Amino acid sequence: MFGFRKNTGTDEVLDKLTDDIKDRRSRGEFVAGLVCDASSAFDLLCRDTTIAMLQRLGAKKSVTNLIRDFLEDSKQFVIINDQVSDVWSQDVGSGQGHILSPPLFNIGTISQYFWTIKSKLYGYTDDGFDLISAPTVAECNLKIKEVMKARQQWYSLSGMALNIQKTALIGFGFTPENLNFENFTIEPVTSIKFLGFIIQDDLGLEQQVKAVANKIRTAASNIQSEGSTFSQKNRKIMYMGWVQGALCCNATAYLPLLTATQQDDIQTACNAAIRSVAKLPRKSADISISTTRKELDIMSVQNIADKQILTQAWKDRDKFQKIEVYGPTTRARSNGNIPQPVQKGIFAKMISTLSACAYNKLPLELKMESDRKKAKSMIRDIILCN
């Protein structure tokens, strides 16, 4: 469970999910993903389920009574312009807008993570991706049906509505059978969008790169048109929000894995936006975009990719520091380095592999740093010095 937790984001779900798919494929397993969609999840979650899970987690009666009273006494109303609706309360849902809504939703939906042993659920708030695998196609297809049935049962018992028409199925290494459920046929797809990230059945990144580049080109056009009367400082703010925001969304899950061609495609799109910020002509052979970018203090795609994987390595430091290293003390071991991971075949395309390699590039001081802000600053200094 990753949603509504400090220092966790969608990229961490995607890192672990895509690495898990690759790891299972490396073992020769046939892998499938089932993404179920819930309608109005926050508004329909059964409150008794939330209270029951609080009790299972060890909450005292005084706490559960407080939460129950809080939910029952929550009032809601809508304001449109100066018109205020009648006040009402609901007997279902974790509530919308109040401070306890996110943690109560997390608590109320914990049971979905161990509801079935046939799959591993990767979830973020109300979005879930069931990862299913088996040594044979027939067994994997059977598991898919069992997981779908279990998910439908869980949604029903939790009070939430499962949107079958938005439920998606994808296979890795094979094409799953059509899934017939409640008079609706779910046909497998070749790519799926999960948490804003496009996952292809061949685990390639072409569609993700194209989608990001298109967003950046649109942003470049918007900066040029809407920022024409703004100062360069304000146009840079637009760049950071519209361009770098799109670029850095789920960045750890794909930027460190790009080929040189894919990275160039995104950088070319970014260059168009940089021209808009600096008000440069479209064709300016005598002007260096790289120099302009540096003058604007804007990081390149390569810089951001390096920053993301170094940051991930720092996040994984507790895991790496537990690795026992034997033998004489060398310069590398004095720096806290770990043995290089296997980098053959599909392992070279796993974020966990790149993170382990990047960890050995961190100075010892950074490996020992526990403050997040200081670590981010040190990583930025490393990137800018290279």
Side-chain angles (χ1 to χ4, degrees):
M1 182 180 290
F2 295 84
F4 305 128
R5 295 176 60 192
K6 188 176 181 180
N7 298 328
T8 60
T10 55
D11 55 344
E12 293 184 82
V13 186
L14 293 164
D15 294 348
K16 290 179 170 55
L17 170 60
T18 52
D19 272 9
D20 197 353
I21 295 171
K22 293 169 185 176
D23 182 58
R24 296 184 191 213
R25 290 292 297 133
S26 72
R27 299 198 300 265
E29 295 186 2
F30 297 94
V31 185
L34 181 65
V35 177
C36 295
D37 182 80
S39 300
S40 303
F42 281 77
D43 294 325
L44 296 177
L45 178 64
C46 176
R47 291 179 176 176
D48 288 338
T49 301
T50 301
I51 299 300
M53 290 309 303
L54 275 170
Q55 293 171 338
R56 288 281 298 272
L57 293 170
K60 295 181 180 180
K61 190 173 182 179
S62 58
V63 174
T64 57
N65 287 341
L66 175 65
I67 296 299
R68 190 188 298 277
D69 289 343
F70 174 79
L71 290 171
E72 289 177 352
D73 291 336
S74 292
K75 306 296 182 183
Q76 301 179 59
F77 59 91
V78 176
I79 300 177
I80 300 178
N81 295 327
D82 294 328
Q83 300 299 313
V84 182
S85 71
D86 293 335
V87 176
W88 79 92
S89 62
Q90 291 179 292
D91 57 0
V92 295
S94 62
Q96 289 278 10
H98 60 66
I99 194 170
L100 290 180
S101 182
L104 289 178
F105 182 83
N106 273 355
I107 292 167
T109 57
I110 286 175
S111 59
Q112 66 179 318
Y113 290 89
F114 52 82
W115 192 256
T116 173
I117 61 173
K118 302 290 184 178
S119 69
K120 182 174 182 179
L121 179 64
Y122 288 87
Y124 192 93
T125 63
D126 58 342
D127 294 306
F129 189 114
D130 274 292
L131 193 59
I132 307 156
S133 66
T136 66
V137 170
E139 187 179 346
C140 196
N141 279 319
L142 179 60
K143 279 187 174 182
I144 292 170
K145 294 176 182 177
E146 292 173 341
V147 171
M148 185 68 225
K149 185 177 180 180
R151 283 289 161 238
Q152 193 276 338
Q153 182 187 37
W154 182 85
Y155 276 97
S156 177
L157 292 173
S158 64
M160 295 193 291
L162 178 60
N163 191 334
I164 299 297
Q165 294 185 345
K166 289 188 178 181
T167 296
L169 174 64
I170 186 172
F172 304 93
F174 80 116
T175 302
E177 295 176 353
N178 289 351
L179 191 58
N180 298 309
F181 200 81
E182 293 186 352
N183 300 319
F184 186 82
T185 300
I186 301 171
E187 297 181 353
V189 295
T190 57
S191 65
I192 193 168
K193 195 170 187 179
F194 180 62
L195 300 178
F197 183 79
I198 301 173
I199 302 175
Q200 299 176 202
D201 60 354
D202 62 356
L203 296 173
L205 293 169
E206 294 80 11
Q207 293 184 40
Q208 174 67 14
V209 169
K210 184 178 179 180
V212 172
N214 286 341
K215 283 183 180 179
I216 292 173
R217 290 190 186 95
T218 300
S221 177
N222 290 338
I223 293 172
Q224 185 177 27
S225 60
E226 298 181 29
S228 59
T229 59
F230 291 2
S231 66
Q232 187 178 93
K233 180 180 179 181
N234 286 333
R235 288 196 300 275
K236 181 184 172 183
I237 292 173
M238 296 169 75
Y239 179 98
M240 300 306 290
W242 292 348
V243 177
Q244 197 143 309
L247 183 60
C248 292
C249 179
N250 298 321
T252 309
Y254 77 100
L255 281 186
L257 299 171
L258 297 184
T259 64
T261 300
Q262 291 169 337
Q263 191 176 102
D264 286 343
D265 288 344
I266 295 181
Q267 186 63 68
T268 299
C270 289
N271 289 346
I274 290 171
R275 287 191 182 94
S276 297
V277 173
K279 281 195 171 183
L280 297 177
R282 184 175 180 181
K283 293 184 179 180
S284 49
D286 58 331
I287 299 176
S288 169
I289 295 298
S290 296
T291 301
T292 304
R293 174 174 48 75
K294 291 177 181 177
E295 289 174 350
L296 291 170
D297 192 25
I298 294 175
M299 299 178 79
S300 67
V301 176
Q302 180 65 64
N303 286 158
I304 295 173
D306 292 341
K307 177 175 175 287
Q308 294 298 130
I309 200 62
L310 289 175
T311 301
Q312 186 61 46
W314 177 80
K315 289 180 180 178
D316 293 337
R317 67 194 184 284
D318 290 342
K319 176 179 67 176
F320 296 140
Q321 288 169 4
K322 292 178 182 178
I323 298 176
E324 294 186 9
V325 180
Y326 302 97
T329 301
T330 61
R331 183 182 300 175
R333 288 177 181 171
S334 297
N335 191 53
N337 290 3
I338 58 174
Q340 288 287 89
V342 176
Q343 300 172 52
K344 294 181 180 179
I346 201 168
F347 293 105
K349 298 179 180 180
M350 295 172 65
I351 295 299
S352 56
T353 300
L354 298 182
S355 174
C357 294
Y359 181 76
N360 288 339
K361 298 178 182 179
L362 299 179
L364 183 61
E365 181 186 5
L366 181 52
K367 290 174 181 174
M368 297 295 107
E369 181 58 63
S370 59
D371 185 87
R372 188 181 183 87
K373 282 188 176 181
K374 289 182 180 179
K376 288 177 68 175
S377 177
M378 293 170 71
I379 290 171
R380 180 178 173 82
D381 290 342
I382 291 172
I383 298 299
L384 296 179
C385 288
N386 290 337

